[in-house]
Amino acid sequence: EAGVAQSPRYKIIEKRQSVAFWCNPISGHATLYWYQQILGQGPKLLIQFQNNGVVDDSQLPKDRFSAERLKGVDSTLKIQPAKLEDSAVYLCASSLLAGGHQETQYFGPGTRLLVL
Amino acid sequence: DQQVKQNSPSLSVQEGRISILNCDYTNSMFDYFLWYKKYPAEGPTFLISISSIKDKNEDGRFTVFLNKSAKHLSLHIVPSQPGDSAVYFCAPFSSGSARQLTFGSGTQLTVLP
């Protein structure tokens, strides 16, 4: 079974530029998450989708970040314009949402973003 | 306002000995507690979990202990192996919410051969 795919793996941009990240979750997984992991910290949830609807985007800086999952499968996360403090690893995760209490999230390898 | 704290950023243990990683939380609504393991340049992978109705869960070399009154949990690895060297994250969630994980800052475990 293929895991969560993310691209690109690395990206270097200058501040005020825009950048986009792509995620393809595990086939059949209804729920998709985007996390931001700053160096030395744990992953922080930015947005959660269930199919193509947003469940929670309360921690997404909406003045510069946007995300979509139009067909309920793959997703893109965009930053425009980027700031220095956006330098982090952006992780995508997916889960099956079979209705049980425990929802194991499967993570992709992440995109490492450096803003200069 | 950190709801989940892993106060030891790093831990070094000799191969074959026990590794104990600790996690403290403040949110009493958490009722499931997960541990994730992360190697460099990879995403976190699920390791083991425990629900609040239990105080211990064991899976091979890995055991998680939960002390609800102290809002504390720990992960024990016995015996530790060099391949266990990774960052370990404590990540609880509340089943009453959208089941969103709240990650601690992680502990870098190094198992010395």
Side-chain angles (χ1 to χ4, degrees):
Chain A
E1 179 183 81
V4 177
Q6 288 189 250
S7 66
R9 292 297 308 273
Y10 304 93
K11 191 74 177 179
I12 301 174
I13 61 172
E14 295 189 350
K15 60 183 179 183
R16 292 187 289 274
Q17 286 187 322
S18 63
V19 64
F21 312 126
W22 174 82
C23 172
N24 191 19
I26 293 173
S27 177
H29 279 197
T31 306
L32 185 147
Y33 311 80
W34 282 102
Y35 290 86
Q36 179 192 59
Q37 186 181 10
I38 292 172
L39 187 64
Q41 299 181 18
K44 184 186 83 170
L45 181 69
L46 293 175
I47 188 168
Q48 177 183 351
F49 292 95
Q50 170 121 1
N51 297 309
N52 60 349
V54 175
V55 173
D56 185 354
D57 63 357
S58 59
Q59 299 197 79
L60 187 74
K62 298 181 187 65
D63 57 334
R64 297 184 301 107
F65 286 65
S66 64
E68 61 183 13
R69 193 184 184 201
L70 292 177
K71 296 182 180 179
V73 180
D74 57 352
S75 175
T76 56
L77 175 70
K78 297 179 182 178
I79 308 175
Q80 182 179 10
K83 293 185 175 181
L84 298 176
E85 59 261 35
D86 298 331
S87 295
V89 176
Y90 290 85
L91 293 162
C92 178
S94 69
S95 65
L96 187 59
L97 196 62
H101 286 294
Q102 294 192 52
E103 291 295 335
T104 300
Q105 293 184 25
Y106 297 87
F107 284 81
T111 296
R112 185 175 296 276
L113 174 66
L114 178 60
V115 182
L116 302 175
Chain B
D1 177 25
Q2 285 185 280
Q3 297 186 64
V4 182
K5 291 185 181 180
Q6 293 179 255
N7 291 318
S8 298
S10 63
L11 174 69
S12 291
V13 171
Q14 286 293 134
E15 181 178 5
R17 307 295 286 267
I18 185 171
S19 296
I20 300 176
L21 296 92
N22 294 304
C23 176
D24 296 291
Y25 62 97
T26 58
N27 189 340
S28 57
M29 298 302 293
F30 290 145
D31 55 0
Y32 284 90
F33 304 85
L34 283 63
W35 285 92
Y36 275 79
K37 174 180 177 179
K38 185 182 183 303
Y39 292 117
E42 295 183 12
T45 56
F46 171 73
L47 181 61
I48 191 170
S49 66
I50 189 168
S51 75
S52 59
I53 62 172
K54 295 185 176 181
D55 55 16
K56 176 182 175 181
N57 188 30
E58 193 171 350
D59 183 2
R61 297 185 297 113
F62 302 91
T63 303
V64 58
F65 296 92
L66 175 62
N67 183 334
K68 283 185 296 182
S69 60
K71 292 190 174 68
H72 176 85
L73 65 156
S74 61
L75 174 67
H76 293 212
I77 306 173
V78 181
S80 300
Q81 299 174 354
D84 297 328
S85 297
V87 177
Y88 289 79
F89 292 100
C90 169
F93 71 93
S94 167
S95 59
S97 69
R99 303 186 183 124
Q100 294 167 0
L101 299 175
T102 302
F103 282 84
S105 55
T107 297
Q108 170 70 59
L109 173 66
T110 302
V111 180
L112 304 169

